[in-house]
Amino acid sequence: MTSKIWGGRFSAGPSAIMEEINASVGFDQRLAKQDLRGSRAHCAMLVKAGLISKEDGEAIQGGLARIEKDVADGNFVFKLALEDVHMNIEARLTDLIGAQAGRLHMARSRNDQVATDFRLWVRAAVDNIEEQLLKIQSALIDKAEAHVDTVMPGFTHLQAAQVVTFGHHLLAYVEMFGRDRGRFSDARRRLNECPLGAGALAGTSFPIDRQQTAKKLDFDRPMANSMDAVSDRDFALEFLSASSVLATHLSRFAEELVIWSSAQFGFIHFTDAFSTGSSMMPQKRNPDAAELVRAKSGRVFGGLITLLTVMKALPLTYSKDMQEDKEAVFSTFDTLELCLAATLGMVIDMKAAPERMRAAASVGFTTATDLADWLTQTLNLPFRESHQITGQIVKLAESKRCELSELALEDMQTVEPRITKGVFDVLTVDASVASRTSFGGTAPYNVRSQITAARKRYLKEGPA
């Protein structure tokens, strides 16, 4: 097997085990489109620099075009014996145009080649995720607009805490996903430098034009250091890191959907499109899509840990360990793409139950903070004193098995004689949400303003 592209020095072929562990074409064939694009740009640069003839360049470009069509049509046969996507394409190009194909590898190595391909692939993946996040934000904003005035309990420690609106709650995820978009955008900016032309690690003696190839491939600039260019995988780590934070947000939202759709809460309802039944219990409607989004976060976290572990002790520059970078990234993207599509579908599909939300908001002493605020504002008490008085009144209501708004004024006055009947104006759920007018608060008026701002900020609707 001395016909290997790198095999001039070796007299014996690899064992079957070595061939199996060394090969990456089973997964890196996903880079075929990017590899072909990089080769086209490299070929054009070699011709312009006078390093290969125009005729050889045209032959190479024609062969690459035929391979590109075969790949797009699913007709390209990837061979394990050729190790990786680069060798498979180069071997096929040789079959098509003969020895001229060998000129394409002038002034480049598989090291800078794969680094370029991978950056192109991750850049496209980032753009895809950003587009999906934009759609989810848009759907959440639309749903929030429909529920600006729908009151529900807000929770801390999963205990009813204060009254909020459903619209306000959904906008919290709009902000989370906005930060996710920012992280991916930030990562994209840093990854958008071109390794091509760095060679194996030290650059090349050929008079190449790296600015030209970088521009042709829509990179901002060539990478400044050839050793860094071939050994850097920060862009993949940043992609996996941003993906892990996004997966956390998707999982948190999915958890809330699971809770809200339970019979005990009944805040939302899914149609058959996003729920399943039980093989034994005919009454069940299970939020399986949400549960799977919640679970798949583990796959994403695993990808990040995998690549961090691979990279943590590698000396410069390239080591074969780095072949392990792609499966983690590919798997993460596939997982996120599915989870994002499922999340968008669930947001659109879910129907709120305002009556159940209002009923839940009306129990659990959710207006206790409003009572404490009233004591501070009306009686000019220090808030800590108001907090203590309110705690005693809550205890009194608990003993009478009623809500704060159901206590008699005389009962409250046994704790604080200066309380007047005006206190009842702040103890309803509607009064509670309406009072939260501080910037970012849950007052419906605020939420309407937040929706307008979110549309401008994230969806670019209206004047910036």
Side-chain angles (χ1 to χ4, degrees), residues 59-113:
I60 290 170
Q61 294 284 13
L64 291 174
R66 288 182 61 182
I67 295 171
E68 195 168 35
K69 185 177 187 308
D70 285 342
V71 169
D73 294 343
N75 296 326
F76 189 90
V77 178
F78 291 95
K79 300 175 182 178
L80 184 67
L82 292 173
E83 291 187 13
D84 58 35
V85 63
H86 323 294
M87 285 187 172
N88 269 269
I89 289 175
E90 186 169 340
R92 179 57 179 153
L93 184 63
T94 302
D95 291 342
L96 290 172
I97 68 170
Q100 293 162 295
R103 298 189 183 279
L104 179 60
H105 208 59
M106 181 189 300
R108 74 173 181 182
S109 160
R110 280 190 296 171
N111 293 356
D112 63 332
Q113 193 175 351

